[in-house]
Amino acid sequence: MSATRPSSLFWLRLAAIASLILGLASAFGGIWLLSLGGSAYFLIAGLMVIATGVLLLKGKRSALWLYALMLFGSTLWALYEVRLDWWQLLPRLDIWFALGLLIALPVVSRHLGAADQRGAGVKTLWGSLAIALAVGVASLFVDPYSINGNLERQAALAENAAPAQPDGDWQQWGGDHFGQRYSPLKQITADNVSNLEVAWTYRTGDMPTDIDPAEITDENTPLKVGNMLYLCTPHSKVIAVNATTGKEIWKFDPKIKGDNGSFKGWEHMTCRGVSYYNLNDNAATTQNADAQPKMCQRRLYLPTADGRLIALNADDGKVCRDFGNQGEVNLLTANLGGTNPPGGYYSTSPATVIDGLVIIGGHVSDNVSVNEPSGVVRAFDARDGHLVWNWDAGNPTETRPLPEGQHYTPNSPNMWSVMSVDPKLGLIYLPLGNQMPDQWGGKRSPETEKYSAGVVALNVKTGQPVWNYQFTHHDLWDMDVGGQPTLTDIKTKDGVKPALVASTKQGSIYVLDRRNGSPIVPITEVPRPASNVEGETASPTQPLSALNFTPDPLKESSMWGTNPFDMLYCRIKFKSLRYEGTFTPPSTQGSIVYPGNFGVFDWGGVSVDPERQIAFVNPSYMAFYDTLIPASEINAEDKAESETSGVHKNTGAPYGVTMSPLLTPWGIPCQSPPWGYVAAVDLTTHKVIWKHKNGTVRDSAPLPIPMPLGVPSLGGPIVTAGGVGFLSGTLDYYIRAYDMRNGKELWKARLPAGGQATPMSYKGEDGRQYIVVAAGGHGSLGTKLGDYVVAYALPEKK
């Protein structure tokens, strides 16, 4: 080598230095991982790569043999851990493969001894590279995650028992009082959905400002009544547009008030929708015809972000002055109980209006203190706004309005999502949260423990509880029931039964008889880990439905990244945290929460085709971790940045908490993909018909490459009688259509911003079926913010 020009050694030295740097990083990280009880691979690989670097610097041909052995061993190790899974093989081998390719090239290998001596080593290294490449290519043809199936039946198995509504309308947030998110329209089919085009686009003008919280979200699902489409914006503005043309008809601005003119300190700002009601639809609201109001017979009820409930004339957007105090009810009443920081209590979701009552719950900020506002649910008269009854989980049987001077139970479980109603049974079904703080429950009352994190059925007229079923005992993981319960009649071996289908964050889909709460699909109590925190006692068991999308427990080999060093970081993180599977209790060490508090299913719920007896669902999988902090260690300047980041003080509790998604330092999930799916369930057999990963990382990766990893979605699916389902909530900016027979993606359209909302469908005056979605993004998810509402339809016939 002495005769070799220095300039010709550049690539050799580069390969040697790269080997030393990469090897040292792997070895030092490997020592740390091994000390935590993790895999020895990274230490062994690191030492071999370091040795390769030294041999390269010395010009030894043995570098070729050693690196070939390291790469071959890494390939075998990768296959052992993840089999033929392309997206998991890639980060295990990509950098090692690239380094091996560099070493094998003549610009490096020709410096490693005489040609007749290094030939065998070069061939061996190329052989290891070929084996690694062959494994990668073979894995491209294997999909270990999909369930490929077909719904054989197309004929209806049952009639839709949901209350009928005018043809082609969408008058309730979930499509109807049953919350099925189902359209009986059949114009759009699997054969023609690919022809959908933009019919109109409307911009609300409600854009985020520099005085808004980080988590400002556009999760609105419009209502369609007649030819009016009613929209709600993050700043609680209501807009009516022509449902056929998208032309604005009227706009109402409640002029919400912040803290000294700012909303910065609020946890979030959301409006999922408004409620519609025609006073003439229920004679019980009046004693005689003369008592009917001359105006405001058709009403919208708007929950505002500053804690008001406003009644609007659905025809012109003017305030109905005979409701409450000049058109509004103050939800932040003196008897609400607890302390209430700005933005700490308001209703993010629309009220349910039935039998002349406006029934509404409220969001309560997570983990602020042990003295937060009550989670009371209240029923107001739809015409004049007086309080008719109230249901407080802390005092569940006293539903008469409280006399002056008394208070609802502070911190009782709240109902921040959307209720469902069975008018024939006279029952309203509430999906409930838990008692704050989320991650510490050492002093919860028996009453709140009974009702939290489940569904309770109340008598519509009186608010009295009829039955309840709890889905998470002593909830320490923020597993509140976020989705609207879906009501449908299900064909069983014992005949057709009136069912309630409740999706949950922990992945179970509970199917209960909605008359009495008894399980239709079996539920088993499964042993779960104990708490090691002083003053805390975790439930020894948790209920698991036989119909569930609960993920397999994480393992060290589940950790992921873009390369071996991301993976090594995540493995060290994983082994440093407490994790004993689902429902691992919070700890001062830090505990992994998987599924995380965005859940397998969140507020979007599921959609049901009541005739074909299938459910269309969009499960997501993201791991989080939380760490309990003794109150004495929390500083005054510590603060929460959003619901899932920063320090949540839990004032008055012995522990605060920090929460975070389980990510690499670059913001890439530590947990291996896929992270999001679409699936269909046969409700008659409780079996998954098909399941496919859904969405790409185009809009969340550093480079806009649409890699089909399957991404989380926040927002709900809908299904139509034409056999097509729609979903827009993925982290990439698309609305997609799926064939309900097999889950095949039939069509997608690019959205101008994030589509974290549930679509809806209706018939316009032109006879066309429309699909409409709000595209305004989600602040804490990092999707693009906007103010768009987009309508799609088949081309007009000429």
Side-chain angles (χ1 to χ4, degrees):
M1 291 184 62
S2 59
T4 305
R5 290 179 298 173
S7 61
S8 69
L9 297 176
F10 170 79
W11 291 105
L12 175 66
R13 290 168 177 164
L14 177 65
I17 292 171
S19 297
L20 290 171
I21 293 173
L22 295 175
L24 284 168
S26 181
F28 279 118
I31 292 171
W32 190 356
L33 178 61
L34 196 59
S35 72
L36 295 170
S39 170
Y41 163 79
F42 291 90
L43 174 58
I44 296 170
L47 292 174
M48 294 178 76
V49 177
I50 291 171
T52 299
V54 172
L55 293 171
L56 287 171
L57 285 175
K58 293 182 177 182
K60 301 292 187 179
R61 66 179 183 271
S62 54
L64 298 167
W65 291 94
L66 182 59
Y67 198 83
L69 178 61
M70 194 286 299
L71 182 59
F72 179 68
S74 295
T75 304
L76 293 179
W77 169 77
L79 282 170
Y80 169 76
E81 283 211 321
V82 297
R83 306 293 188 269
L84 290 175
D85 183 339
W86 163 257
W87 292 110
Q88 292 210 63
L89 287 171
L90 185 65
R92 284 167 168 80
L93 298 175
D94 52 5
I95 285 182
W96 301 141
F97 183 89
L99 181 59
L101 189 63
L102 175 61
I103 294 171
L105 290 175
V107 292
V108 174
S109 61
R110 64 189 172 90
H111 300 294
L112 302 177
D116 59 338
Q117 295 175 329
R118 67 174 181 267
V122 171
K123 290 179 181 178
T124 301
L125 179 52
W126 278 110
S128 290
L129 287 166
I131 291 171
L133 182 62
V135 167
V137 171
S139 68
L140 290 172
F141 299 94
V142 176
D143 182 358
Y145 302 103
S146 292
I147 297 174
N148 296 307
N150 284 278
L151 178 67
E152 300 298 335
R153 63 176 180 270
Q154 290 303 304
L157 284 184
E159 294 184 0
N160 187 3
Q165 61 180 339
D167 182 47
D169 275 8
W170 189 281
Q171 294 193 1
Q172 311 292 332
W173 186 83
D176 50 49
H177 277 308
F178 274 26
Q180 295 177 342
R181 281 162 284 284
Y182 169 75
S183 170
L185 299 177
K186 301 179 179 180
Q187 186 180 101
I188 297 172
T189 67
D191 295 328
N192 64 23
V193 67
S194 61
N195 297 322
L196 282 179
E197 61 184 20
V198 174
W200 53 258
T201 299
Y202 175 79
R203 300 197 66 175
T204 67
D206 190 355
M207 291 291 292
T209 70
D210 58 5
I211 64 170
D212 290 328
E215 188 171 319
I216 185 168
T217 67
D218 193 343
E219 299 174 350
N220 169 57
T221 297
L223 303 184
K224 191 265 186 179
V225 183
N227 198 40
M228 302 270 269
L229 197 71
Y230 299 109
L231 318 172
C232 172
T233 75
H235 290 93
S236 305
K237 299 175 183 178
V238 181
I239 304 166
V241 302
N242 183 295
T244 307
T245 66
K247 183 179 179 181
E248 182 180 309
I249 299 171
W250 57 256
K251 180 183 287 188
F252 172 77
D253 183 356
K255 301 187 186 305
I256 57 174
K257 299 175 180 62
D259 182 24
N260 296 320
S262 175
F263 307 109
K264 277 287 188 182
W266 293 21
E267 194 169 63
H268 52 63
M269 184 178 287
T270 300
C271 183
R272 296 193 180 93
V274 296
S275 310
Y276 170 78
Y277 190 65
N278 190 331
L279 293 180
N280 289 332
D281 288 345
N282 186 43
T285 61
T286 61
Q287 296 298 319
N288 54 66
D290 292 337
Q292 285 283 12
K294 303 304 179 185
M295 301 293 292
C296 279
Q297 293 183 359
R298 298 179 349 105
R299 297 189 174 193
L300 299 176
Y301 297 93
L302 165 69
T304 68
D306 57 0
R308 292 174 287 162
L309 177 64
I310 301 176
L312 301 175
N313 189 326
D315 297 320
D316 57 19
K318 294 181 180 179
V319 174
C320 300
R321 299 293 178 185
D322 58 349
F323 180 80
N325 181 13
Q326 293 298 305
E328 64 183 52
V329 169
N330 179 17
L331 298 176
L332 302 175
T333 55
N335 60 4
L336 189 58
T339 57
N340 185 29
Y345 179 93
Y346 73 101
S347 191
T348 56
S349 301
T352 293
V353 193
I354 187 75
D355 290 347
L357 298 175
V358 184
I359 307 171
I360 191 165
H363 147 84
V364 178
S365 291
D366 289 334
N367 302 319
V368 175
S369 75
V370 297
N371 190 36
E372 296 182 52
S374 173
V376 64
V377 174
R378 289 170 282 186
F380 299 95
D381 184 276
R383 187 181 67 177
D384 63 23
H386 78 269
L387 182 62
V388 177
W389 56 258
N390 40 235
W391 184 78
D392 173 9
N395 189 16
T397 59
E398 185 52 70
T399 61
R400 292 175 298 178
L402 290 185
E404 187 175 350
Q406 292 189 14
H407 299 85
Y408 302 117
T409 308
N411 254 21
S412 58
N414 64 323
M415 201 296 305
W416 56 265
S417 186
V418 184
M419 297 164 268
S420 302
V421 183
D422 186 329
K424 289 186 178 179
L425 292 177
L427 297 179
I428 186 165
Y429 305 93
L430 280 58
L432 291 179
N434 59 17
Q435 183 174 5
M436 309 299 176
D438 287 332
Q439 285 77 25
W440 189 80
K443 293 186 177 180
R444 294 175 183 169
S445 71
E447 292 80 12
T448 57
E449 284 283 76
K450 175 181 178 179
Y451 288 101
S452 69
V455 166
V456 60
L458 305 180
N459 182 293
V460 168
K461 295 185 183 300
T462 65
Q464 285 289 327
V466 177
W467 61 260
N468 78 288
Y469 203 105
Q470 188 172 72
F471 304 143
T472 302
H473 306 320
H474 193 63
D475 181 12
L476 300 172
W477 305 270
D478 193 18
M479 291 296 167
D480 40 10
V481 184
Q484 178 187 20
T486 296
L487 312 183
T488 189
D489 287 3
I490 293 179
K491 184 178 181 181
T492 74
K493 63 181 180 180
D494 300 319
V496 175
K497 290 187 176 182
L500 177 148
V501 181
S503 58
T504 60
K505 291 182 179 181
Q506 20 96 347
S508 276
I509 297 179
Y510 298 93
V511 184
L512 309 175
D513 188 316
R514 65 178 183 267
R515 295 170 296 187
N516 53 29
S518 61
I520 293 176
V521 175
I523 300 172
T524 305
E525 290 287 338
V526 177
R528 298 299 184 185
S531 174
N532 59 9
V533 174
E534 184 179 355
E536 182 62 88
T537 305
S539 174
T541 64
Q542 295 290 350
L544 179 69
S545 172
L547 171 54
N548 72 81
F549 286 82
T550 302
D552 292 333
L554 295 174
K555 300 178 290 185
E556 183 191 328
S557 60
S558 305
M559 296 299 100
W560 193 73
T562 60
N563 56 67
F565 303 100
D566 281 352
M567 185 179 300
L568 177 55
Y569 170 90
C570 291
R571 286 174 181 245
I572 291 171
K573 190 76 173 176
F574 176 80
K575 298 298 287 188
S576 300
L577 296 166
R578 182 183 180 189
Y579 181 67
E580 300 169 45
T582 307
F583 297 110
T584 299
S587 63
T588 55
Q589 170 189 351
S591 296
I592 292 177
V593 185
Y594 183 65
N597 68 350
F598 274 178
V600 175
F601 303 105
D602 203 355
W603 57 263
V606 303
S607 60
V608 166
D609 181 333
E611 298 181 354
R612 294 186 181 92
Q613 298 275 281
I614 60 172
F616 177 36
V617 303
N618 57 316
S620 295
Y621 301 94
M622 286 296 292
F624 284 68
Y625 68 96
D626 53 39
T627 306
L628 294 178
I629 307 171
S632 60
E633 298 178 13
I634 299 175
N635 300 316
E637 61 271 17
D638 290 337
K639 63 180 181 179
E641 297 165 7
S642 72
E643 283 187 333
T644 55
S645 64
V647 177
H648 296 250
K649 295 183 179 179
N650 294 339
T651 301
Y655 299 96
V657 65
T658 62
M659 294 174 284
S660 175
L662 191 61
L663 304 174
T664 70
W666 335 112
I668 297 167
C670 275
Q671 150 213 349
S672 59
W675 306 298
Y677 297 85
V678 286
V681 174
D682 187 334
L683 293 174
T684 66
T685 64
H686 323 143
K687 303 297 184 183
V688 176
I689 304 169
W690 50 259
K691 176 183 172 186
H692 305 300
K693 61 184 179 180
N694 185 56
T696 73
V697 296
R698 170 177 173 171
D699 297 302
S700 50
L703 296 175
I705 302 173
M707 293 183 288
L709 294 178
V711 296
S713 53
L714 188 61
I718 66 168
V719 65
T720 70
V724 181
F726 293 89
L727 177 69
S728 66
T730 52
L731 293 184
D732 56 353
Y733 311 154
Y734 290 97
I735 179 172
R736 292 177 168 89
Y738 312 86
D739 190 330
M740 286 295 96
R741 294 169 296 190
N742 53 31
K744 179 182 177 182
E745 183 182 302
L746 301 171
W747 167 86
K748 67 179 179 182
R750 184 76 173 158
L751 295 171
Q756 280 67 57
T758 303
M760 46 87 74
S761 184
Y762 61 85
K763 183 169 70 176
E765 285 190 326
D766 57 2
R768 291 193 292 171
Q769 181 180 357
Y770 286 77
I771 305 294
V772 170
V773 64
H778 193 289
S780 61
L781 287 182
T783 56
K784 182 181 177 182
L785 302 178
D787 64 339
Y788 300 88
V789 179
V790 187
Y792 302 89
L794 296 172
E796 290 188 272
K797 295 180 180 180
K798 303 297 184 181

